[in-house]
Structure formats: C-alpha cells, structure tokens
Amino acid sequence: MAAHPEQELKDILQNRKEKPQMKNIRKENGIQDTMGSLFVMLFIFIMLLCYVGFSKSVSKKADCDNIAKKYLYRMESAGCLTSEDFENMTLDFDKINVSVQDIGSSRTRVPYGEEVVLHIRLTFPNPLLEFLDLSSLGISLKTQYDIEWEATAKW
C-alpha cells in the first residue's frame, strides 16, 4: 500500500537539495571591492584635509581684511594713516598671529577728496602646509597676502 500523500510530500521536500546556480552570482568582498572602497576613502580624506586647511586660510584672510577696513575707514576720516593707528594696526595683526612685512600707505595728510591708499603685505602660517611639512622641498610654510585698497579722504 502507498504511503500517505502528506508523508510522501514531506519526504520529498526533506530530501530535496537545491544547488545554487553560480552563473550570475558575483563573489562578494573580493579585492576589487576592497581596493575601490579604499581609494574612495583616501580621496575623501584628502579632500577633507584640503578643505580644513584652506578654510582656515580663508578665515585668516577675512580677519586681515576686517582689520584693514577698520584702519582704511580711519584713514578716510583723518586723511592719512597716523602713527598711533599704524602702531595699533600692527598690534591687531599680531593678536591674530599675522606678521606685517610692509605697510605702504598715505602717511602724510592728503587734501579733502584725494585718494588715501592702504597697502599691506602680510604673512601667516598655512595649516595645511604645516601639516604636510613640505619645507624640505623648499616650499614655504607661510602664506603671503597683499592688501591694497584706496578710499577718498573725507576729513
């Protein structure tokens, strides 16, 4: 006599072993996947490093611009860069760790309506270049920044 159909079905399902088809299955976590991921992570790290380094330089330049504007407005009012303003300006640049290389500006009072010129050459450390330490290659670790602005004397 034949076994119960339910038992036969159960036996068939238990004894059935399916082999996966290997035609379309790609090997996961191979060397190509790992190397590709490493290259992407390295690229992102380099981009992040450059962003941090250059953003600090841009921020330092903005601080320098703000100090220079402050004294340019004073030059507009006084007609020249007074010796007191000259000293205060160099102190303000020292506070933000910026070296003043040269200040070429209108040091004598100009007539009303004439141009007053503020020219400053500054240097400050570049954090990206300091991190990479490229001084052995002859690359300067400081950034040079020139400001040259003109305004009309309104004293």
Side-chain angles (χ1 to χ4, degrees):
M1 197 154 181
H4 295 300
E6 296 168 355
Q7 185 64 32
E8 284 181 22
L9 183 59
K10 189 175 182 182
D11 289 340
I12 291 172
L13 291 176
Q14 283 180 351
N15 294 332
R16 183 177 175 196
K17 293 183 181 175
E18 292 185 14
K19 294 182 181 178
Q21 302 250 343
M22 299 301 284
K23 294 178 185 175
N24 297 327
I25 296 178
R26 186 170 66 98
K27 186 176 178 181
E28 295 284 334
N29 298 327
I31 189 74
Q32 296 89 359
D33 290 339
T34 305
M35 290 303 289
S37 298
L38 288 176
F39 283 131
V40 168
M41 286 189 291
L42 180 66
F43 178 74
I44 289 172
F45 175 74
I46 291 170
M47 293 300 292
L48 187 63
L49 183 69
C50 291
Y51 172 75
V52 169
F54 286 121
S55 67
K56 287 186 179 183
S57 293
V58 169
S59 174
K60 185 73 78 170
K61 286 180 180 183
D63 293 342
C64 293
D65 286 345
N66 289 335
I67 292 171
K69 283 179 193 173
K70 173 182 169 182
Y71 289 98
L72 182 67
Y73 295 149
R74 288 188 182 183
M75 287 175 67
E76 269 184 338
S77 300
C80 66
L81 183 65
T82 64
S83 58
E84 183 182 336
D85 285 342
F86 178 82
E87 295 298 324
N88 290 336
M89 183 169 54
T90 55
L91 289 174
D92 286 347
F93 283 122
D94 286 340
K95 287 179 187 174
I96 62 168
N97 195 22
V98 174
S99 303
V100 178
Q101 300 299 315
D102 183 33
I103 297 178
S105 62
S106 305
R107 298 297 296 265
T108 58
R109 194 170 191 172
V110 298
Y112 178 84
E114 294 292 317
E115 285 186 343
V116 288
V117 178
L118 179 62
H119 178 77
I120 310 169
R121 176 165 287 157
L122 307 166
T123 57
F124 55 88
N126 186 329
L128 180 62
L129 295 177
E130 285 182 343
F131 176 76
L132 297 175
D133 193 22
L134 301 174
S135 58
S136 61
L137 298 175
I139 296 174
S140 174
L141 301 179
K142 296 196 176 241
T143 300
Q144 183 173 329
Y145 183 50
D146 291 333
I147 298 173
E148 185 169 350
W149 288 336
E150 299 172 354
T152 303
K154 299 175 183 170
W155 55 273

